[in-house]
């Protein structure tokens, strides 16, 4: 038998315990029982009497079916690859080697992706994610960097089949953007993106400097889970915030409606400010702002292990040197390095085009093991 086939057979045998272990991590039997329960609910009389509730059950059913099918496909792939190894040994046929290599690499990648999803055990990891971008001090340079980050994350979302909706978009004075907020929609969006919260530092030769000097810029990214409006996690009363109505500013283009319906809410106790200007009416913008504010308050409470929302004091993030979670160096060398996990790459162009998976994966692994570069 070709030694390479023998090697792949050994690799398949070695990964089988991991594949079996995924069934336990995924709670496969529990999912199958849950699927039976969901199917029974859909078959019950009056299921569609409450369209909102029934739609949520339909979505959950589809998600559960997809998870079970995904695991079963991995098992089927393992069986097929082992069959190829055995057939090649019997027939002394090397022609199936390329198919074996490609199949094994695909299986290994799918198993790793599935393993990472089993790490998403946080209370809100399965939720949509609200992302906010804020340029640091530095005028046009920082605002351009903020827009680069905005593009990087929206490209990542598109690559992974997530959709995103613009909630707020404040263009820069000359270029870039001052701030923006988007909703990234899809299962596990928050779980994958939660580690991206923090200050991001850029080092490059400024395209806005006639003397081509090297510049350092900072922008902040905030990620919070989208909390359902009917959630009992927090109550926000009208007296808890100040509401401001304003006309959308800047050129805006496709991003905003040029009306006086834009809404800004300022939470009095914490100083948190949220705004929305992309919905059709002032009422809709206010509802979106309340949803954003609720999500931010819940995330802070969970992160700081507070008993109640009232325990949250002032919220202030410094967008400056020493507070960054990741450095992006374009000059004099190319390097992107995460200060928490140590994950790094020299392919800065790929990262800016949305290739963030190594950084997201290393964060989730460190979160699971506690093996941080710095704490």
């Amino acid at each position: 038998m070709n030694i390479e086939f023998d090697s792949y057979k050994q690799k398949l045998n070695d990964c089988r315990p991991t594949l079996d272990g995924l069934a336990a991590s995924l709670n496969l039997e529990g999912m199958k029982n849950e699927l039976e329960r969901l199917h029974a609910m859909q078959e019950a009389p009056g299921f569609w009497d409450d369209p909102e509730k029934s739609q949520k059950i339909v979505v959950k059913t589809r998600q559960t079916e997809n998870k079970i099918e995904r695991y079963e496909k991995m098992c089927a792939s393992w069986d097929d690859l082992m069959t190829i190894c055995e057939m090649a040994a019997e027939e002394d046929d090397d022609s199936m080697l390329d198919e074996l290599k490609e199949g094994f690499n695909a299986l290994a990648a799918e198993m790793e992706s599935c393993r990472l999803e089993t790490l998403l055990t946080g209370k809100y990891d399965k939720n949509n994610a609200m992302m906010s971008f804020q340029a640091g001090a530095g005028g046009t340079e920082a605002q351009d960097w903020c827009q680069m980050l905005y593009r990087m994350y929206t490209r990542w979302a598109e690559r992974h089949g997530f959709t995103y909706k613009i909630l707020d978009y404040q263009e820069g004075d000359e270029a870039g953007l001052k701030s923006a907020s988007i909703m990234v929609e899809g299962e596990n969006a928050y779980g994958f993106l939660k580690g991206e919260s923090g200050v991001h530092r850029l080092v490059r030769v400024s395209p806005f400097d006639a003397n081509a000097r090297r510049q350092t810029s900072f922008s902040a990214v905030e990620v919070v889970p989208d909390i359902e409006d009917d959630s009992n996690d927090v109550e926000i009363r009208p007296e808890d915030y100040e509401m401001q109505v304003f006309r959308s500013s800047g050129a805006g283009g496709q991003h905003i409606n040029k009306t006086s319906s834009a809404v800004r809410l300022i939470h009095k106790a914490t100083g948190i400010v949220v705004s929305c200007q992309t919905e059709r009416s002032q009422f809709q913008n206010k509802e979106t702002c309340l949803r954003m504010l609720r999500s931010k308050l819940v995330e802070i409470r969970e992160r700081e292990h507070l008993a109640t929302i009232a325990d949250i004091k002032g919220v202030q993030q410094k967008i400056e040197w020493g507070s960054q979670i990741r450095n992006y160096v374009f000059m004099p060398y190319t390097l992107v390095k995460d200060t928490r996990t140590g994950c790094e790459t020299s392919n800065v162009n790929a990262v800016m085009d949305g290739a963030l998976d190594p950084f997201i994966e290393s964060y989730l692994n460190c979160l699971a093991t506690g093996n941080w570069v710095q704490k």
Side-chain angles (χ1 to χ4, degrees):
M1 181 179 177
N2 186 301
I3 191 170
E4 288 196 70
F5 280 102
D6 193 36
S7 173
Y8 274 101
K9 186 174 183 179
Q10 184 60 49
K11 289 179 181 179
L12 285 166
N13 283 322
D14 289 344
C15 78
R16 186 70 214 198
T18 302
L19 184 58
D20 293 338
L22 281 174
S25 298
L26 292 167
N27 188 20
L28 192 63
E29 287 304 313
M31 281 198 294
K32 289 179 178 179
N33 292 334
E34 174 69 3
L35 188 59
E36 288 183 9
R37 187 181 72 85
L38 292 170
H39 283 157
M41 291 174 67
Q42 293 182 58
E43 294 168 2
F47 173 72
W48 293 104
D49 291 350
D50 185 343
E52 185 176 350
K53 180 180 178 181
S54 58
Q55 185 58 36
K56 289 181 180 179
I57 293 173
V58 169
V59 171
K60 188 172 183 180
T61 300
R62 189 181 306 119
Q63 291 173 344
T64 305
E65 288 173 339
N66 289 340
K67 289 178 181 178
I68 294 172
E69 182 182 357
R70 181 186 187 188
Y71 181 79
E72 290 176 344
K73 281 185 176 180
M74 286 190 292
C75 291
S77 177
W78 188 93
D79 291 337
D80 291 344
L81 293 171
M82 188 59 78
T83 299
I84 290 175
C85 288
E86 293 170 351
M87 288 175 60
E90 292 176 4
E91 301 173 13
D92 196 21
D93 181 4
D94 291 345
S95 64
M96 292 182 283
L97 185 58
D98 288 341
E99 180 184 357
L100 178 61
K101 288 180 178 179
E102 183 178 341
F104 180 81
N105 290 337
L107 175 61
E110 186 71 1
M111 287 174 59
E112 175 60 13
S113 175
C114 189
R115 184 191 69 82
L116 286 169
E117 289 188 18
T118 65
L119 301 180
L120 303 180
T121 57
K123 184 176 181 180
Y124 302 108
D125 280 357
K126 297 185 184 301
N127 291 28
N128 297 333
M130 290 184 179
M131 297 193 76
S132 298
F133 305 85
Q134 179 67 51
T140 301
E141 183 70 33
Q143 290 166 15
D144 185 58
W145 171 227
C146 191
Q147 187 174 53
M148 291 168 67
L149 288 172
Y150 174 92
R151 178 185 180 275
M152 180 179 77
Y153 285 109
T154 54
R155 289 300 300 272
W156 177 87
E158 291 168 349
R159 281 184 171 200
H160 290 78
F162 293 106
T163 58
Y164 68 91
K165 174 184 178 183
I166 299 169
L167 303 175
D168 189 46
Y169 196 96
Q170 298 286 341
E171 292 187 335
D173 296 323
E174 297 179 20
L177 62 88
K178 294 178 180 178
S179 64
S181 296
I182 61 173
M183 173 85 77
V184 181
E185 299 177 322
E187 188 178 12
N188 294 326
Y190 176 68
F192 284 121
L193 289 169
K194 62 186 178 183
E196 298 303 298
S197 276
V199 175
H200 297 247
R201 170 179 173 257
L202 168 69
V203 179
R204 67 170 176 176
V205 172
S206 172
F208 306 102
D209 189 334
N211 296 316
R213 289 173 295 190
R214 194 169 64 184
Q215 299 280 351
T216 299
S217 304
F218 299 90
S219 286
V221 175
E222 182 183 31
V223 186
V224 297
D226 174 34
I227 307 298
E228 290 287 343
D229 291 347
D230 60 357
S231 170
N232 295 319
D233 285 314
V234 58
E235 177 187 4
I236 301 176
R237 302 166 300 176
E239 59 265 32
D240 293 336
Y241 59 83
E242 175 189 343
M243 176 176 167
Q244 299 175 350
V245 180
F246 60 99
R247 179 179 289 275
S248 300
S249 59
Q254 65 181 356
H255 300 298
I256 58 177
N257 294 322
K258 302 171 189 175
T259 67
S260 297
S261 63
V263 172
R264 179 184 297 116
L265 297 185
I266 304 171
H267 191 245
K268 295 176 182 178
T270 63
I272 293 174
V273 179
V274 293
S275 59
C276 181
Q277 55 180 314
T278 57
E279 302 292 355
R280 293 184 178 275
S281 70
Q282 184 184 124
F283 174 79
Q284 289 174 313
N285 281 323
K286 180 185 176 182
E287 288 299 302
T288 300
C289 281
L290 284 170
R291 190 167 182 169
M292 295 167 70
L293 180 56
R294 180 183 298 105
S295 296
K296 290 192 177 190
L297 289 170
V298 172
E299 192 275 337
I300 293 169
R301 186 190 66 186
E302 295 289 323
R303 170 163 40 90
E304 298 186 0
H305 306 292
L306 301 174
T308 66
I309 294 297
D311 292 329
I312 300 175
K313 306 304 179 186
V315 178
Q316 207 54 255
Q317 181 182 36
K318 293 184 178 180
I319 311 176
E320 61 183 19
W321 170 263
S323 59
Q324 70 268 17
I325 64 165
R326 193 172 300 146
N327 295 310
Y328 305 73
V329 182
F330 287 61
M331 191 73 178
Y333 51 87
T334 57
L335 178 69
V336 181
K337 184 170 183 177
D338 196 291
T339 62
R340 304 160 300 174
T341 67
C343 180
E344 63 180 64
T345 178
S346 60
N347 194 347
V348 66
N349 289 328
V351 172
M352 298 314 302
D353 206 33
L356 291 167
D357 287 356
F359 296 96
I360 291 173
E361 292 170 8
S362 62
Y363 177 85
L364 291 175
N365 285 323
C366 286
L367 193 63
T369 62
N371 296 326
W372 303 98
V373 171
Q374 66 176 31
K375 296 185 178 180

